Amino acid sequence: MYCPDTLFWEGLSVKSLVPQSGRGRVIGRSSGVPSAFAGLQVVGFSNSVAQYWTRTDSSGRFTSPYMKPGTYTMTLYKAELAVATQSVTVTAGGTLTSNIASAEVTRSAIWQLGEFDGTPRGFLNADKIETMHPSDARMKSWGPATFTVGDSVANLPMAVFKAIGPLTIKFNLNSNQLGARTLEIATTNAFAGGRPQVKVNNWTGPAPAAPNQPNSRGVTRGTWRGNNIQYTINIPSGTLVAGTNTLVINVISGSSGDRFL
């Protein structure tokens, strides 16, 4: 990993600058992150006065920047999803070894669409959202969309807009996959309290509480980044059927008026 040389600052008489000799570093190795994300691991350090970041190498090894002395929350990210935190204390002139292991729970799923990594990578329009407004003619249709499990997630919109309509997902189950099941929906951001409420066949799920998200537009200003939230919906026994099932994801609350606000 390349780390820029910032020692030139020490020759500029910058007021209150803490020189490198008065700083410390953290070295270590991450573990437990799926191999598909070996090159997408980030370790962050933060407290009330400072933040520092570094990437790991493909084996999980990392070296922090030179940091001001103090106690920090050290966070391991799988792409942009925090999967572990711990406390570290940095001392002037010291090098602390602190390994960190992912605490993310790996579940067995009947089906899964995409990866919960804090990004919309791979979904429809995700490759354009940072440079184009959702209303741009070069964007593919946002919906209302119907998606069949087994198709490429490149056909599944990265965002659902309340005024455009819900997302409908069709999936098949066999008789051994029925009974009470858990549905998880992961989001990275939402505007105006928007959150998902689902209908599975003839059963309507509860309305989740409004999420804690930044009070600012997201995809309409070119970003998906907010607070990563995972909604858990308990589907009662008797809801799912052998054969074709229909899941409808509606946006409740959110904004009214302009389609892309």
Side-chain angles (χ1 to χ4, degrees):
M1 176 180 297
Y2 169 73
C3 293
D5 184 356
T6 57
L7 285 176
F8 71 91
W9 284 104
E10 297 185 20
L12 298 180
S13 300
V14 177
K15 185 178 180 181
S16 301
L17 175 70
V18 178
Q20 182 171 297
S21 61
R23 297 170 178 255
R25 306 183 92 174
V26 178
I27 63 173
R29 186 172 183 174
S30 65
S31 62
V33 174
S35 58
F37 292 89
L40 295 170
Q41 300 179 71
V42 174
V43 180
F45 304 85
S46 64
N47 59 24
S48 61
V49 296
Q51 295 184 18
Y52 302 92
W53 305 86
T54 187
R55 288 187 179 274
T56 76
D57 66 15
S58 60
S59 67
R61 292 186 176 87
F62 64 88
T63 300
S64 77
Y66 285 96
M67 302 190 292
K68 295 179 180 179
T71 298
Y72 295 85
T73 297
M74 174 179 167
T75 304
L76 173 63
Y77 293 87
K78 183 185 79 174
E80 297 183 19
L81 176 69
V83 293
T85 61
Q86 60 195 45
S87 181
V88 293
T89 298
V90 174
T91 58
T95 299
L96 172 70
T97 298
S98 183
N99 299 322
I100 187 167
S102 172
E104 186 178 24
V105 177
T106 301
R107 295 176 175 85
S108 176
I110 295 176
W111 54 265
Q112 178 175 324
L113 305 177
E115 294 283 350
F116 187 26
D117 64 359
T119 81
R121 290 184 312 133
F123 290 104
L124 184 71
N125 293 326
D127 58 333
K128 303 179 181 69
I129 200 62
E130 291 185 283
T131 57
M132 302 178 195
H133 190 273
S135 63
D136 194 298
R138 292 169 292 179
M139 289 283 191
K140 294 184 179 179
S141 174
W142 293 100
T146 298
F147 178 85
T148 300
V149 172
D151 291 348
S152 170
V153 296
N155 299 318
L156 182 66
M158 62 159 283
V160 180
F161 296 90
K162 180 179 180 181
I164 290 180
L167 171 63
T168 300
I169 298 175
K170 301 281 189 178
F171 60 98
N172 291 318
L173 297 178
N174 60 47
S175 58
N176 295 326
Q177 296 171 322
L178 306 183
R181 292 292 176 180
T182 300
L183 172 68
E184 295 178 337
I185 300 176
T187 64
T188 64
N189 200 359
F191 179 59
R195 64 270 197 195
Q197 185 178 32
V198 306
K199 182 177 181 181
V200 182
N201 295 331
N202 294 319
W203 176 78
T204 299
N212 176 23
Q213 292 286 6
N215 185 24
S216 176
R217 287 181 288 173
V219 292
T220 55
R221 58 183 176 85
T223 185
W224 59 82
R225 296 177 178 92
N227 295 323
N228 294 318
I229 295 175
Q230 185 166 288
Y231 296 89
T232 300
I233 300 103
N234 295 311
I235 302 172
S237 179
T239 301
L240 299 169
V241 299
T244 301
N245 293 264
T246 301
L247 164 66
V248 179
I249 303 175
N250 289 286
V251 179
I252 59 173
S253 186
S255 63
S256 58
D258 191 294
R259 287 163 34 117
F260 292 106
L261 292 178

